[in-house]
Amino acid sequence: MQTKFLGHSWRYFLAVGAIALTYYSGSQFAVSHLTLSSEINPMWPAAGIAQAALLLFGRQLWPGIAIGGFLFSMNVPSPNIVTALISAAARTLQAWTGTYLLERINFSAGLDRLKDVLGIVGLTALGSTLINSTIGSILVCLTGLSSWSDFGTIWGTWWVGDAMGILLVAPLLLTWQQLPKVPTHRKKIAERAIWLLLLLAVGWLVFCSRTRAAYARYPLEYLPFPLVVWAAFRFGQRYTALSNFILCGFAIWGIARNSGPFLKHANSMPQALLSLQAFIAVIAVTGLVLAATVAERNQAEASLRASEASLANAQRIAQLGNWDLDRNGQQLRWSEEIYRILGQQPGTFEPSLEAFLEYVHPEDKELVKTSIEAALFQQKPYSIDYRLVLPDGSNRTVCEQAAVNSLYITSTVQDITDRKQAEAALRSSEERFSKAFHASPVGISICTLTDGCFLDANESFLRQLGWQRHEFIGRTARDLGMWVNSEDEPRLAKILQTQNSISNQELKIRTKAGEVRDWLLSEELIHLGSTQCVLIMTSDITERLRSEEFRRAALAAEAANRSKSIFLANMSHELRTPLNAIIGYSEILQEDARDLGAEEFIDDLQRINTAGQHLLALIKDILDLTKIEAGRIDFHLETFTILNLVDEVVATIAPMADKNSNILEIQCPEDIGSMQTDLTKLRQSLLNLLSNASKFTCSGAITFAVTRSLETPAEAAKRAKRLGAYRGDGKGENTLSSSQEWIVFTIKDTGIGMSPEQLARIFDPFTQADSSTTKKYGGTGLGLTITKKFCEMMGGDITAFSEVDKGSTFIIRLPAIISEPLLFTEKSEK
C-alpha cells in the first residue's frame, strides 16, 4: 500500500486530504450531535475513523489524522496552536500505535478470525486509547480548562469514548470497505430484509419510543441481543458490525431525547452514560466474537469438506477404497470408492462382509474369508490379491491390505487390474524382445558398463564382425581389435556418461578379417537385474556411404550450377545498374562538352559510351543464359486490349491504395491498343508491383503509366539473335530480326524507398529490403522474384529505382506481340 501511494504523489496527498476531512467531520459531528451532558460524549467516532483509515491504507497516511485533529483542536473554545499540535500528535500516535500492534499479529480487516476481534478490542480499543486519553487529560488540566481534581473523571470519559468509537466505527468501516455481493436467492434477500426491519423496530421501541413507560418494569434493553446473535450466526461480521452501530445510534438518540432504559435507574446523566457505554461495549464485543467464532467454524468445516473431497478424489484416481470394522460392535463402514470398485453406485446397499463376499470370485472366496477371520479372531494383518466379479460379468483384480488393532480392522482395497495387465504385457514384451533380439537384421549386442565385456549378441551383430559366438562372448571390443580409431572408445564413453544414450554415431570398425567397415551406432543404458549394462545397436552403412558420396557429389554439382546461375543473375543485375548510369552520364557529358566547346573530350566520352553499350549487351546475354538454365513454365499466349487489363488491375488494387490513404493516378492513352502475351502472368506481375507500392506508401501518390514504344533495329537484331540461339535452329534470326513495338508499364510511388544496398537484393528469392520491413509489412519476398521471371519469360524485363524516403519506381517492358510462343515452351521437351 505504501508503494502504491508513494509512487503517485498526487494520490498520496489526495488520500491524506480525504482522511483529514473525514476525521475532522467525524469530530465535529460528535461535538454537535453526540455531546449529551457537560461535554460528555458516549462515543468518539473519529477514533474509529482514524484506526480504520490506517489499517486499510497504511500507516504512512498518518498526516491525514494529524491534520484533521489539528483543525478540530483549533476550532474548540480558546484555541492554542501549541495545545492543538500536541492534541493532534496524541490522536495520531494513538491510531499509529494501534495499527502497528495489529499488524504485528497479522491482523485481517475482515475480522473473520477470533484473534482479529480480540486484537482490535484489546490492542486498540483498550490499549492504544490510553495514549490519547492520558495526553489529552494532562493537557486539559495543564491549560486550566479543568482542575486536577477532575483528572480521573476526564481521563475515564475520554478513554471510554475513544474505545467505544473504535469498537463501533472501526469494524463497520473495515468490514464494509467493499460492498457485498447482492444475494441472488430470494430467501436470503427476504431474510436480510426481515432482520433489518426487526432491528430498526426493536431499536426504536427499546431506546427511543416514549410509549415504553408502561413496560418500564421489563428489561427490554436485552431484547436486541437475539437480533445481534442472528446477524452473527447468519450474516457474518459485516452485518454484525452494522447491527452494533445501529443499536448504538438508537441508544444514544434515546438518551438525547430523555427516553430509553438507561435513564430508568440512573440518578444522574453520567450514570446513564456509563450504563449506555457498558451496553455498547458488551453488545459490540459479544456480536463480534460470536461472528468470528462462527466464521472460524465455517472455515474449519469448509476445510474439512475440502479435505474429504480431496481424499475422495485421490481414492477415485488411485481406485483405492477403504473399510473399517469395529471388532466389538461388528459395525462395518467403507468409502464410496468401494462401491465403485464393486461396479455399483455409492449407497446402493448397506456395507457388510456378506455383501462384499458376494462379489468375490468363487475361486478366491475362501482365501478372502479365511484372511478376514484370522484378522478378527487372531489379530493377524494380511495382504492378498484376489478377483472380483462385477455385475456386468467382468473380472477385476484387487489388492487388499489390512491392519489390525484391539478395536478395529482397517483395510484398503485397490483395483490393480491395469497393473496386472501391464505386468502380463511386460512379460509378453520381454518374450517378444528376446525373439526380436535374435531375429533382427540390425546388429544388437549387450555389454557391461564398467568393463565393456560382451554378454550377448545376435546373429546380425556377429555376422557384421565375422566372429563366432564362442569367440565373442566374454571379451571386450579392445580385445577383439574392433577400434580403428583408438579415440572412439573414450569419446563414446564420455557421451554415454553425460547423455545416458548415444544416437546415430558414425564410426569405423575393424572386422575379424581385418576389413574396415563403416557403422552407424546407437547405445542405451539398461539394467539387467542389478547390473548396469549397455544395449548396442549397429548397422553396416559402408555401401550406403559410398552411394551417398556419389549422390552428394551429384548434388554438389547441381548446387554449384544453381549457385552459378544465381550468381550470374545477381551480378548481371548489379553491373547493369551502374552501367546504365555510366552510359547515361557519358551521353550527358558529351552534350555538355559540345556546349562548352571541349571537343578534345568528345572522342573519349564516345569510347566510354561504346564500351558501356557493349558491356550492357554482354550482361543481357548473361541474363538470357540464366533464363534458359532456370527451367520451363507453361506459357499461354492470347491477344487482349491493354485498357481492359488496366481497368481490371486498377479495380483490384484501388481498395488497397485507399486503405493507406494513397492517391492512385492512371496514365494510359485511349489509343494504347492491344498486345499479345500471357495475360495471367502479366496481370500477376502488375498486381505484385502495385500491391507493393500500396503497402509501402502511406498518404502518398502512386502513378501507374502505360506507354507504347518502338525498338531500334539494333535492339531487334540482338533480340532475334538471342532467340535464335535459344531455339538452336537459327530460325529466330530470320523471323524476328525486324523491329517491333514494346509496351512499357511504369509503377512509381512516393513510399519508404530503399537504400542502394536494399535495392541490390530486392529481386532475390525470399528477400525484402531488410528484416524490419518483413516484420512491419509482412510478405515472403517472392513477389518481385516471380515478377522478374515472368517478365523474362514474356520476352521483357523489369527494373527498379529507389531512394530512401523518396519512393521507388518499377518499370516492366514487354514486347507488344510474341509471334512464336513455342520459343518459351520448347525447353521442357528436351
Side-chain angles (χ1 to χ4, degrees):
M1 189 65 70
Q2 181 177 3
T3 304
K4 173 182 176 183
F5 282 112
L6 295 183
H8 303 277
S9 58
W10 65 270
R11 293 184 180 178
Y12 174 78
F13 290 117
L14 184 63
V16 168
I19 292 174
L21 180 61
T22 306
Y23 187 91
Y24 175 79
S25 301
S27 301
Q28 290 288 63
F29 176 82
V31 171
S32 60
H33 294 86
L34 300 181
T35 303
L36 300 180
S37 175
S38 301
E39 298 185 355
I40 297 175
N41 299 96
M43 179 185 68
W44 191 254
I49 293 173
Q51 193 65 69
L54 295 193
L55 285 172
L56 290 176
F57 305 113
R59 283 180 282 139
Q60 74 278 2
L61 293 179
W62 62 266
I65 301 169
I67 295 171
F70 176 77
L71 294 176
F72 170 72
S73 298
M74 291 296 296
N75 286 332
V76 300
S78 303
N80 183 293
I81 190 170
V82 176
T83 58
L85 288 173
I86 296 174
S87 177
R91 301 173 193 273
T92 304
L93 181 61
Q94 172 179 295
W96 191 95
T97 303
T99 304
Y100 173 78
L101 294 174
L102 290 178
E103 288 177 351
R104 296 284 293 178
I105 65 170
N106 193 23
F107 176 78
S108 173
L111 298 176
D112 51 0
R113 298 176 302 179
L114 185 58
K115 81 169 187 177
D116 298 330
V117 174
L118 296 179
I120 201 170
V121 172
L123 298 178
T124 58
L126 301 180
S128 64
T129 50
L130 298 174
I131 298 174
N132 187 35
S133 61
T134 301
I135 296 175
S137 300
I138 294 174
L139 192 63
V140 168
C141 293
L142 287 175
T143 55
L145 296 176
S146 295
S147 64
W148 287 99
S149 60
D150 296 329
F151 177 82
T153 303
I154 297 171
W155 183 91
T157 303
W158 204 316
W159 176 72
V160 173
D162 283 354
M164 293 302 102
I166 291 176
L167 282 177
L168 293 169
V169 177
L172 183 69
L173 296 177
L174 291 174
T175 56
W176 285 86
Q177 58 175 310
Q178 292 181 347
L179 293 178
K181 294 181 179 179
V182 178
T184 56
H185 201 283
R186 292 184 178 179
K187 290 183 178 179
K188 292 183 179 180
I189 298 175
E191 183 182 4
R192 282 170 170 77
I194 293 171
W195 169 82
L196 182 59
L197 292 175
L198 286 176
L199 183 69
L200 295 174
V202 170
W204 173 263
L205 174 66
V206 173
F207 302 110
C208 298
S209 175
R210 292 200 174 110
T211 62
R212 186 179 171 277
Y215 309 101
R217 65 181 181 274
Y218 301 113
L220 294 183
E221 59 268 22
Y222 297 104
L223 190 60
F225 272 90
L227 296 175
V228 176
V229 175
W230 185 0
F233 276 92
R234 294 289 297 166
F235 310 136
Q237 288 286 29
R238 180 179 279 118
Y239 289 92
T240 302
L242 179 63
S243 67
N244 292 341
F245 188 79
I246 292 174
L247 292 175
C248 173
F250 276 121
I252 295 174
W253 189 13
I255 289 184
R257 60 199 307 266
N258 291 321
S259 64
F262 304 111
L263 296 173
K264 174 182 174 182
H265 302 291
N267 297 324
S268 62
M269 179 60 72
Q271 290 183 358
L273 290 177
L274 183 61
S275 300
L276 168 64
Q277 290 168 334
F279 170 79
I280 293 174
V282 171
I283 198 170
V285 174
T286 302
L288 293 176
V289 169
L290 277 176
T293 304
V294 172
E296 285 189 336
R297 187 193 67 183
N298 291 338
Q299 292 174 0
E301 291 177 352
S303 177
L304 178 60
R305 288 193 297 270
S307 298
E308 292 176 347
S310 178
L311 177 60
N313 288 334
Q315 288 188 340
R316 185 162 53 252
I317 293 171
Q319 293 182 300
L320 176 68
N322 67 282
W323 58 263
D324 297 310
L325 177 63
D326 185 346
R327 297 182 61 198
N328 296 326
Q330 296 295 307
Q331 183 179 2
L332 180 65
R333 298 182 300 273
W334 64 38
S335 64
E336 293 183 353
E337 192 59 26
I338 292 290
Y339 288 104
R340 297 189 183 96
I341 292 175
L342 297 176
Q344 298 287 359
Q345 291 295 326
T348 303
F349 53 88
E350 288 295 324
S352 67
L353 292 178
E354 293 75 13
F356 185 83
L357 290 173
E358 292 280 337
Y359 292 88
V360 178
H361 194 280
E363 297 178 2
D364 300 333
K365 189 171 296 186
E366 188 61 31
L367 170 65
V368 177
K369 187 183 296 185
T370 302
S371 300
I372 295 176
E373 290 176 353
L376 275 172
F377 302 113
Q378 303 176 25
Q379 296 190 18
K380 288 185 178 181
Y382 61 87
S383 176
I384 55 176
D385 295 348
Y386 55 90
R387 292 164 293 173
L388 297 175
V389 181
L390 304 190
D392 60 3
S394 62
N395 290 347
R396 305 294 292 180
T397 303
V398 297
C399 174
E400 182 176 352
Q401 295 182 343
V404 186
N405 58 36
S406 59
L407 298 177
Y408 290 97
I409 299 177
T410 302
S411 176
T412 61
V413 180
Q414 184 175 19
D415 189 330
I416 60 170
T417 306
D418 295 338
R419 189 181 77 188
K420 288 292 186 180
Q421 292 175 350
E423 291 174 353
L426 178 60
R427 289 192 296 270
S428 176
S429 176
E430 290 174 349
E431 295 176 359
R432 290 195 300 270
F433 172 78
S434 178
K435 294 178 181 179
F437 177 83
H438 292 286
S440 173
V442 176
I444 305 175
S445 65
I446 300 174
C447 70
T448 58
L449 178 63
T450 54
D451 54 12
C453 183
F454 287 104
L455 302 178
D456 198 1
N458 66 357
E459 295 300 324
S460 297
F461 192 90
L462 296 172
R463 187 167 51 251
Q464 290 176 15
L465 290 172
W467 292 96
Q468 298 295 320
R469 181 175 295 276
H470 68 276
E471 298 173 326
F472 181 81
I473 301 301
R475 302 177 67 181
T476 66
R478 183 173 298 179
D479 296 337
L480 299 170
M482 293 171 53
W483 302 114
V484 175
N485 187 352
S486 59
E487 296 180 356
D488 285 342
E489 184 177 17
R491 178 176 63 85
L492 295 175
K494 184 176 181 180
I495 296 174
L496 190 63
Q497 182 180 5
T498 56
Q499 301 180 6
N500 294 328
S501 65
I502 297 174
S503 179
N504 296 331
Q505 286 283 325
E506 294 186 9
L507 70 158
K508 295 185 180 295
I509 293 294
R510 184 178 290 106
T511 66
K512 179 181 178 180
E515 181 184 3
V516 176
R517 306 288 293 181
D518 291 293
W519 268 12
L520 187 65
L521 178 140
S522 297
E523 294 184 357
E524 291 284 345
L525 290 178
I526 61 173
H527 287 271
L528 296 181
S530 60
T531 305
Q532 194 170 17
C533 300
V534 181
L535 177 68
I536 304 171
M537 293 164 285
T538 64
S539 297
D540 192 321
I541 58 172
T542 306
E543 302 303 328
R544 192 185 77 184
L545 287 181
R546 291 174 183 172
S547 61
E548 184 69 18
E549 289 177 1
F550 290 117
R551 190 182 69 84
R552 281 199 297 266
L555 291 176
E558 185 179 347
N561 187 48
R562 285 196 302 269
S563 299
K564 180 200 70 174
S565 299
I566 295 174
F567 172 77
L568 291 176
N570 292 338
M571 288 304 298
S572 62
H573 177 74
E574 293 286 347
L575 292 174
R576 188 175 60 182
T577 301
L579 187 58
N580 286 330
I582 293 173
I583 296 173
Y585 278 114
S586 68
E587 294 174 353
I588 295 173
L589 290 174
Q590 289 183 62
E591 295 177 1
D592 292 343
R594 289 190 184 95
D595 295 339
L596 296 174
E599 298 293 336
E600 65 274 13
F601 296 113
I602 294 178
D603 291 339
D604 293 333
L605 292 173
Q606 181 62 41
R607 293 189 186 95
I608 293 174
N609 186 272
T610 303
Q613 294 288 353
H614 180 67
L615 184 57
L616 182 60
L618 291 177
I619 293 173
K620 289 182 179 179
D621 290 340
I622 293 175
L623 284 174
D624 292 338
L625 176 63
T626 56
K627 179 182 67 175
I628 292 171
E629 293 178 349
R632 171 192 171 277
I633 300 177
D634 292 338
F635 197 86
H636 303 283
L637 282 178
E638 55 182 306
T639 302
F640 54 91
T641 303
I642 298 176
L643 274 177
N644 292 340
L645 170 65
V646 172
D647 291 339
E648 292 178 8
V649 173
V650 170
T652 304
I653 212 67
M656 185 179 297
D658 293 338
K659 181 179 180 181
N660 283 349
S661 303
N662 294 316
I663 299 175
L664 181 61
E665 181 182 356
I666 312 301
Q667 299 176 0
C668 181
E670 294 290 335
D671 59 348
I672 191 67
S674 62
M675 67 182 298
Q676 183 187 62
T677 188
D678 190 320
L679 175 60
T680 302
K681 292 179 175 56
L682 176 56
R683 184 189 297 112
Q684 181 176 347
S685 300
L686 294 175
L687 288 174
N688 282 341
L689 296 180
L690 286 169
S691 63
N692 283 345
S694 301
K695 181 168 62 174
F696 296 108
T697 305
C698 185
S699 300
I702 301 171
T703 303
F704 179 23
V706 186
T707 59
R708 183 183 290 267
S709 64
L710 186 67
E711 69 179 349
T712 64
E715 291 174 340
K718 291 179 181 179
R719 176 173 52 82
K721 185 176 181 179
R722 289 199 306 271
L723 292 177
Y726 180 82
R727 287 176 57 94
D729 55 7
K731 294 180 181 180
E733 187 172 359
N734 298 327
T735 58
L736 294 174
S737 59
S738 60
S739 61
Q740 71 171 38
E741 290 184 326
W742 289 77
I743 309 299
V744 180
F745 301 88
T746 304
I747 291 90
K748 183 178 181 181
D749 64 68
T750 59
I752 62 175
M754 292 174 285
S755 66
E757 294 80 12
Q758 295 168 342
L759 192 61
R761 304 190 309 269
I762 200 63
F763 289 109
D764 291 346
F766 303 99
T767 302
Q768 288 191 344
D770 55 23
S771 60
S772 64
T773 304
T774 303
K775 292 178 181 178
K776 183 173 181 180
Y777 297 99
T780 62
L782 285 175
L784 291 178
T785 303
I786 294 173
T787 300
K788 183 176 180 65
K789 295 296 183 181
F790 284 172
C791 292
E792 292 171 351
M793 289 181 61
M794 291 182 287
D797 57 15
I798 177 173
T799 54
F801 307 92
S802 183
E803 290 184 26
V804 176
D805 297 329
K806 292 185 178 181
S808 304
T809 301
F810 289 85
I811 301 173
I812 292 178
R813 186 171 180 271
L814 300 176
I817 298 176
I818 299 177
S819 58
E820 294 190 15
L822 186 61
L823 291 173
F824 303 97
T825 59
E826 188 175 357
K827 183 179 179 182
S828 64
E829 299 172 1
K830 294 182 180 180

